[in-house]
Structures are given as C-alpha cells and as structure tokens.
Amino acid sequence: MTTFLVTYASRSGRKREMTLEAASPAAARRSLRERGILPTTLVCKENSKPAPYTAAAAAFDWQTLFEAKIKVKEKALFANKLSAMVNAGVPIMRSLDLMRRQQKSALFRRALIAMGEEVNQGGSLGSSMRRWPKVFDNLSIAMVEAGEAGGVLDETLKRLARLLEENARLQNQIKGAMGYPLTVLVVAILVFLGMTIFLIPCFADIFAQLGAELPWFTQMMLNLSKLLRSSFSVLLVGGLIISVVALRSYHSTPLGRRRIDAILLKLPLFGELLQKSASAQFCRTMGSLSKAGVPIMTSLEILHETTTNKVVSDAISNSRNDISEGVPLSMALATKRVFPDMMLSMLAIGEETGEMDTMLSKVADFYEDEVTTAVKTLTSMIEPIMIVVVGAIVGSILLAMYLPMFSVFENIR
C-alpha cells in the first residue's frame, strides 16, 4: 500500500488536506470518488510527486453516481445507535461493525468499514468521518470531534441525533407548506388544459351541426382550444422548459441564488415563514454546537455551509469578521438585518448571562412552535383559495359548453 497526500476544496471553498492509503493512484481516486471528494492534487508521499491527473482519471464512478443520497434520518439513526452503544460501554470498533451489518445503504456500509479500519489503527472517530463528506456533513463531524475532545461522546451523539431530526422536521414543514399550493395549482392547470384540448372540440362539432350561435365566451374558449392544438403548444411547452432550465441555471450561480432567495424572503406569508424557519434552525444548531464545546467561529462556519437560504448564509458568514474584531454575536447579526429582533434580544441576554446555549434552545423551541402554527394557518388559508381556483377553472369550461345550449333551446321554441 502507498500513502498519498490529498488536497481538495470543501463545500465552503476552503482548501483541506488528508492522507490516504491505496494500492495505486487510480485506486486512490476511486476511493476518493466513493467518499464524494474531488481532489485538486494527489501526491505520493514516498516520492512527493503529484500523480498525473488526467480527464480519464477524473471520470465518474458510475457506482457512486447512481447511489442514493444519505438521508438525514439515516444520519440521525446512526448517531442514536452509536450513542446508545458508547453509553453501554461497547467499543467504537465493535459498534461500527454492528451498524455496518444493519446498514442498507452500500455507500454508508463502505464508510463504516473504512472508519472502523482507521479507528482500529489509532485514528479518531471524527477524523475518520471527515474523510467521507458524501456521508457525513460538517455539522455532524464537528459535534463528534467536540464530544471526543470533551470525553462526552455519547451525550454529544444523542444531542446530534435530536438536532438532525429537528432540522429535518422543520425543513419538511416548509416544503409541505410551499409544495401543497404548487401541487394543487399544477393539477388544476393540467385539468384545464385537458378539458380545453380534448373536451371542448367535441362540443364544438355538436354546436356546428345544430347551427347554434356561439356566445363570445364560448368562441374565446374554442379559439384557445384551436391555439393549444396547433404548433403553438409545442412552442409554449418548449418555452416553459427553457425558462425552467434557465431559472435553475441562474439559481445555481451565487448572484442568482442570492437574488432569488432575497425575493423569497420578501414574499407575503411565505417570507415570514422562511425567516422564522431560518431563525429556529440557527438557534437550534448554534445552541447544540455551543453546548458541545465547538468554538463560535467554527460554529458560524458550519452554519454558513448548512443554511439553505443564501441571504441568511451570507449574513452569518459576514458576521464572523465582526466577531473576530471583538463584536458580540448578537450585535454582529443585528447589523445584517436578517433575523427578527426578538431572537437577537434573547441572544444578547444569553451572552450577558453566560447561558447562551440555554437561551438559544428556548428561542429555537419558540420559533419551531411559530413555524408549526404558521404552517397550519397557511394551509387553512390556502385550501379554500385553491378550491375556488379549481372551481373557477372547471366552471369556466362548463360555462363555455352550456351557454350555446340556451341559444339552441330558444331556436327550438
């Protein structure tokens, strides 16, 4: 086996280094791809020369390409099980081996095998997790490393499991609140298009045979039906696809993501919900990291990487510069005007009393309850609106079909 020195960029763009043992440079790159790492340099420590990095060497590993992404629930379950085993006195090696046998994900199994081997050679659990960024995020790694350093790994793992579960529940609530009206609207549009394209032409033939005079609304719907059945529909679908692809491409850029996320925060109803969700996630994560003993600068870096909204993420990142100059966290965040005043006031009290982690936990509970209440309120408001929208769409089609019948009845009289 040969030892290689690997340099790569983290998700935040920072340069990181690690050592890796493999039989050849190709085997080393294959192992790195399995872990989700794209190396910038790969150096053999024996001769200190970079291994040739060709396009063929950087090709995708199809096995890892189609492997399912590790879900948050799986990470939380891993932390829960490992916490119970460590608390019961089971050695880390034995614990990893037991969980590897129960693990369904092939990627997670390979990670547990490699972690067990590294721990067996004297490495720490946190450092072995850091080599698998495709399985473990920086939040999990930082808390495990802090738990190992403080000798409270079991308690830290239990806290990590709760944190992952709470964050996942919060994100699912937001997705459900924003996904429900969108799904109903899409279904309503598809029903409208289906009835306009396929049902209205059938009635148009009947009206032509009866010689009925068509009202302006029916004629408008017939013209729309003809337009949708022409080549215009192909152009319309193509334009929609191009627009969606262009929007996704724009959102993938830093500037585009920031602008779109800023618009989302200003949306009526949804913007306030997103702000409360971001506040709850920040307080819950920051409180857990603080209680685990993670330094505040490291905690803010982790929060910057894990926060989904770019505006909030940039505000957290920019506050690190102020904190490095001695400004309290509450004042540094207040200047960014992203988080609500109540959260910042409670954070300031926590800093003054030295109970910041406890105060953050209480604020997180408050905003999580606020998010739950807001989602229920929003859903109860949207449901009747969606019913009216669907009713208006279906009613317009029925009105267009039945209006000419009144003319037919008058002619028969």
Side-chain angles (χ1 to χ4, degrees):
M1 299 291 284
T2 306
T3 302
F4 295 92
L5 179 63
V6 182
T7 60
Y8 65 97
S10 65
R11 292 179 182 178
S12 61
R14 290 197 167 194
K15 182 180 177 181
R16 297 190 181 278
E17 294 184 353
M18 62 176 287
T19 57
L20 176 70
E21 290 189 356
S24 64
R29 293 191 184 94
R30 191 181 308 112
S31 176
L32 291 170
R33 284 196 298 270
E34 289 177 353
R35 303 178 186 189
I37 297 174
L38 184 62
T40 52
T41 61
L42 184 66
V43 180
C44 179
K45 292 189 91 173
E46 277 72 8
N47 51 28
S48 299
K49 293 181 180 179
Y53 196 70
T54 62
F60 279 115
D61 186 339
W62 294 101
Q63 181 184 4
T64 59
L65 180 63
F66 293 105
E67 281 180 332
K69 186 179 179 180
I70 305 300
K71 298 179 180 179
V72 178
K73 286 185 178 180
E74 294 181 80
K75 299 177 186 178
L77 186 61
F78 164 81
N80 251 329
K81 287 182 177 180
L82 188 57
S83 171
M85 292 181 184
V86 171
N87 189 40
V90 181
I92 295 291
M93 272 289 300
R94 177 64 174 162
S95 301
L96 294 175
D97 184 58
L98 288 172
M99 285 188 289
R100 186 261 306 170
R101 297 177 186 178
Q102 302 171 4
Q103 185 56 242
K104 295 181 180 179
S105 169
L107 177 60
F108 215 139
R109 281 199 304 270
R110 291 200 302 273
L112 292 175
I113 292 172
M115 288 164 58
E117 293 175 353
E118 184 166 343
V119 171
N120 190 39
Q121 295 173 3
S124 66
L125 179 63
S127 63
S128 66
M129 290 170 62
R130 191 174 290 280
R131 300 177 190 275
W132 291 86
K134 202 172 182 180
V135 178
F136 301 103
D137 51 39
N138 289 337
L139 171 63
S140 303
I141 295 168
M143 290 194 67
V144 168
E145 288 178 339
E148 286 183 304
V152 286
L153 181 59
D154 56 340
E155 183 61 33
T156 305
L157 286 168
K158 190 183 297 183
R159 193 178 300 120
L160 172 62
R162 286 199 300 266
L163 175 61
L164 292 174
E165 290 169 353
E166 288 293 332
N167 286 345
R169 183 180 62 83
L170 204 61
Q171 290 175 6
N172 289 335
Q173 283 185 326
I174 300 300
K175 289 178 182 178
M178 302 187 72
Y180 171 74
L182 183 62
T183 302
V184 174
L185 185 61
V186 169
V187 171
I189 292 174
L190 291 176
V191 169
F192 174 78
L193 292 176
M195 296 179 72
T196 304
I197 295 173
F198 300 107
L199 187 61
I200 288 182
C202 298
F203 280 83
D205 295 337
I206 297 174
F207 297 149
Q209 292 174 5
L210 294 176
E213 183 180 352
L214 299 180
W216 68 269
F217 185 73
T218 304
Q219 188 62 53
M220 182 186 69
M221 294 301 295
L222 286 174
N223 294 338
L224 178 61
S225 177
K226 290 179 182 178
L227 187 64
L228 292 175
R229 284 183 287 117
S230 66
S231 58
F232 173 78
S233 61
V234 179
L235 296 176
L236 180 62
V237 172
L240 288 174
I241 294 174
I242 292 173
S243 300
V244 171
V245 172
L247 184 62
R248 288 178 64 89
S249 300
Y250 181 64
H251 186 262
S252 63
T253 63
L255 178 61
R257 184 182 170 191
R258 180 177 178 80
R259 287 181 175 176
I260 293 174
D261 287 349
I263 293 172
L264 290 176
L265 285 174
K266 294 178 182 178
L267 287 176
L269 300 178
F270 289 103
E272 186 179 356
L273 181 62
L274 290 173
Q275 186 191 45
K276 289 179 179 178
S277 173
S279 301
Q281 186 175 1
F282 174 87
C283 292
R284 180 69 67 192
T285 306
M286 188 69 187
S288 298
L289 290 170
S290 175
K291 197 166 186 178
V294 179
I296 186 170
M297 298 297 284
T298 305
S299 300
L300 290 173
E301 181 183 356
I302 292 170
L303 281 161
H304 164 63
E305 295 176 350
T306 55
T307 302
T308 54
N309 189 284
K310 182 64 174 174
V311 176
V312 179
S313 176
D314 287 348
I316 294 171
S317 178
N318 294 336
S319 66
R320 296 175 73 243
N321 299 328
D322 298 335
I323 293 171
S324 64
E325 296 175 359
V327 178
L329 176 60
S330 56
M331 292 182 61
L333 292 175
T335 59
K336 307 303 180 290
R337 300 184 181 277
V338 172
F339 294 106
D341 294 335
M342 196 279 279
M343 184 200 106
L344 297 173
S345 299
M346 297 293 283
L347 178 58
I349 294 172
E351 289 176 317
E352 292 173 4
T353 59
E355 297 289 337
M356 189 173 72
D357 53 344
T358 304
M359 190 62 70
L360 285 171
S361 179
K362 292 180 179 179
V363 176
D365 291 337
F366 171 78
Y367 279 110
E368 284 171 2
D369 292 339
E370 285 281 296
V371 169
T372 302
T373 304
V375 168
K376 290 180 180 178
T377 305
L378 194 60
T379 304
S380 63
M381 291 174 59
I382 288 175
E383 281 181 352
I385 294 174
M386 290 293 102
I387 291 173
V388 171
V389 170
V390 173
I393 290 174
V394 176
S396 63
I397 300 293
L398 295 176
L399 185 64
M401 292 187 297
Y402 281 102
L403 277 176
M405 293 184 181
F406 295 108
S407 299
V408 174
F409 294 150
E410 290 179 0
N411 292 335
I412 293 174
R413 290 179 182 176

